[in-house]
């Protein structure tokens, strides 16, 4: 009798554990190691979020993985953990040469779990002249918009007190 009860309890525990794994959010992301990241994304199609093609993070800003974001890749944006990137902790958002630079549909982005609600500033490149940051995960909620029609794009060392450490999604475009 004791053995049957133990077997039954063990099976019930396994089912509960399996159910927990199966009901995890579909948008859950792996937590990367380190705060210096290079994230390659693809084009936003049909208003959807840009797919993440690869993500490499580390603790060393001089590592080959972090500094590898160079031609033929196209640098779209850099996110700063601290205002004016001081002290430096940064993520670089890149695309392949075939998919860059920015255009009118742009790139819709969600920061990874380390960077969610941690962005204090950003720089844009490659004709990404418009940036909207949102505190909601679906390009919704409180937002802030920047536009630079004459330069390469807005370079915002500090997003301001209202949106500091509140970015959960972004839309960058030409």
């Amino acid at each position: 009798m004791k053995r049957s009860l133990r077997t039954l309890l063990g099976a019930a525990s396994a089912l509960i554990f399996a159910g927990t794994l199966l009901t995890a959010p579909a948008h859950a992301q792996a937590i990367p190691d380190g705060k210096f990241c290079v994230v390659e994304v693809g084009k936003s199609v049909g208003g959807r979020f840009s797919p993440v093609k690869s993500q490499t993070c580390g603790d060393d800003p001089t590592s080959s993985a972090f500094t590898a974001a160079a031609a033929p890749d196209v640098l779209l944006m850099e996110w700063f953990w601290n205002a004016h990137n001081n002290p430096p902790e940064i993520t670089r958002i890149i695309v392949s040469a075939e998919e860059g630079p920015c255009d009118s549909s742009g790139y819709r982005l969600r920061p990874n779990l380390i960077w969610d609600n941690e962005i204090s500033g950003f720089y844009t490149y490659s004709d990404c002249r418009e940036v909207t940051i949102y505190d909601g995960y679906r390009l919704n909620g409180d937002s802030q918009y920047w536009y630079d029609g004459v330069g390469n794009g807005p370079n915002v060392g500090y997003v301001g007190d209202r949106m500091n450490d509140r970015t959960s999604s972004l839309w960058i475009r030409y």
Side-chain angles (χ1 to χ4, degrees):
M1 175 91 169
K2 286 183 183 178
R3 185 176 186 147
S4 298
L5 183 59
R6 258 188 275 153
T7 304
L8 181 62
L9 288 174
S13 296
L15 284 173
I16 290 170
F17 179 73
T20 302
L21 289 177
L22 294 175
T23 59
H27 65 276
Q29 302 173 26
I31 298 175
D33 294 328
K35 293 180 185 168
F36 293 93
C37 301
V38 175
V39 179
E40 182 180 357
V41 298
K43 281 284 192 191
S44 172
V45 177
R48 294 187 195 108
F49 279 93
S50 299
V52 174
K53 294 184 171 187
S54 68
Q55 174 176 271
T56 304
C57 297
D59 290 320
D60 182 5
T62 62
S63 72
S64 60
F66 184 69
T67 58
D73 295 326
V74 176
L75 177 61
L76 298 177
M77 187 173 211
E78 293 178 326
W79 300 337
F80 306 142
W81 189 280
N82 301 298
H84 307 287
N85 198 29
N86 189 16
E89 293 178 49
I90 191 171
T91 278
R92 292 185 171 136
I93 306 300
I94 63 170
V95 295
S96 68
E98 298 83 35
E99 296 189 84
C102 268
D103 58 19
S104 61
S105 62
Y107 299 86
R108 291 164 175 87
L109 309 168
R110 278 195 191 117
N112 64 32
L113 292 176
I114 282 185
W115 283 86
D116 183 33
N117 289 317
E118 296 295 342
I119 296 173
S120 293
F122 62 84
Y123 287 168
T124 60
Y125 306 92
S126 305
D127 293 328
C128 295
R129 296 183 180 178
E130 293 183 63
V131 175
T132 308
I133 62 174
Y134 301 86
D135 74 337
Y137 290 101
R138 293 191 166 96
L139 301 174
N140 62 349
D142 279 349
S143 65
Q144 179 71 44
Y145 171 81
W146 290 270
Y147 174 74
D148 181 357
V150 294
N152 196 31
N155 290 326
V156 180
Y158 180 58
V159 297
D161 291 345
R162 187 173 71 83
M163 293 304 289
N164 185 42
D165 294 340
R166 293 185 62 212
T167 301
S168 290
S169 57
L170 306 93
W171 184 18
I172 61 174
R173 58 209 176 275
Y174 178 79

